[in-house]
Amino acid sequence: MMKPALISLLTIWPFTASACETALILTIDVSNSIDVAEYRLQTDGLADALRDPEIIEALISGETAISVVQWSGADRQAVSVPWRRIRTALDAEYLANQARVMERAFVLSDTAPAEAIYFSLDLFGDVSDCKRKVIDVSGDGTPNSGSDVRLARIAAERAGVTINGIAIESMGLAITGFYKSALITRNGFVITARTHREYPAAIRAKILREISKIIG
């Protein structure tokens, strides 16, 4: 039986669980256009971003849930890092370590971002309590297999899911233009990385923008 003093303390300062602000799926293109060095730039860039003090603080503040998916062709999608709630710096460190050492899921495969979106949409059932749901699509090519990306975008919007993108360019802005016109949702945005070497800085900026409570 609780003592009166403890009951009074609980009445004054009730214990409340922190709420998940954002569920974020980071999807990484591992299609045929991505070589070994470029894959490593993506995974190391992601791991470094998850060790950034500013990102760690924002992740913990929002108790962000993060998962990592690798994708390529129409039947090539895999969860490389399952959902993890970031409640402490140790959670962020664990996630960063997983991202750095994860093995490449597919090689010599096509580019099918629509199927990556559909696959990711099915994963949000495990984090239904999170207020915002975001799919982060990173890629360096336009589709050469799979279904219509615009229809996948519509499915995401109907489900209340935001799609953002990192367009990795080799020349010009063709990927950026495609992401803007066909892939991101109306409330989404695109960040351009001019070559894979700019990816680490781009993924840091992108995650910060995605997990901020005020989205610019």
Side-chain angles (χ1 to χ4, degrees):
M1 185 174 182
M2 282 190 178
K3 295 181 179 180
L6 180 56
I7 294 174
S8 177
L9 182 63
L10 290 173
T11 303
I12 298 172
W13 289 303
F15 292 102
T16 57
S18 56
C20 171
E21 290 289 336
T22 304
L24 174 61
I25 300 177
L26 300 164
T27 76
I28 298 175
D29 178 3
V30 292
S31 60
N32 193 43
S33 59
I34 305 293
D35 64 25
V36 173
E38 290 165 348
Y39 172 75
R40 184 50 54 196
L41 279 170
Q42 289 186 87
T43 55
D44 285 349
L46 174 56
D48 290 343
L50 293 171
R51 285 195 171 98
D52 182 278
E54 190 175 0
I55 287 180
I56 291 172
E57 182 181 359
L59 289 172
I60 295 171
S61 175
E63 196 178 305
T64 307
I66 294 184
S67 180
V68 181
V69 167
Q70 294 187 50
W71 62 275
S72 55
D75 59 347
R76 296 288 187 271
Q77 306 89 32
V79 175
S80 296
V81 179
W83 286 115
R84 188 168 188 88
R85 306 285 181 121
I86 309 301
R87 299 182 174 96
T88 68
L90 288 177
D91 290 326
E93 179 71 13
Y94 178 83
L95 186 65
N97 288 338
Q98 283 190 303
R100 195 178 300 279
V101 302
M102 66 183 180
E103 296 183 1
R104 182 169 180 158
F106 310 108
V107 294
L108 301 177
S109 186
D110 296 332
T111 304
E115 276 62 37
I117 292 169
Y118 288 127
F119 179 85
S120 297
L121 287 174
D122 288 340
L123 301 179
F124 285 115
D126 292 332
V127 287
S128 57
D129 61 305
C130 295
K131 295 178 182 177
R132 296 177 58 246
K133 297 174 178 62
V134 180
I135 299 173
D136 172 333
V137 179
S138 296
D140 72 344
T142 54
N144 57 19
S145 72
S147 54
D148 190 329
V149 178
R150 290 172 177 82
L151 295 180
R153 176 177 63 185
I154 291 170
E157 289 179 335
R158 287 176 175 170
V161 173
T162 298
I163 302 175
N164 299 322
I166 290 185
I168 306 171
E169 303 282 6
S170 57
M171 61 180 67
L173 293 171
I175 314 305
T176 301
F178 169 75
Y179 275 25
K180 286 181 176 180
S181 66
L183 185 137
I184 66 167
T185 51
R186 284 170 289 185
N187 59 346
F189 63 89
V190 179
I191 289 181
T192 300
R194 295 180 182 275
T195 79
H196 286 81
R197 293 195 176 277
E198 289 190 7
Y199 181 87
I203 191 67
R204 179 190 180 279
K206 190 161 180 289
I207 290 175
L208 271 177
R209 185 169 172 181
E210 285 166 332
I211 62 180
S212 295
K213 292 184 180 181
I214 300 175
I215 304 299

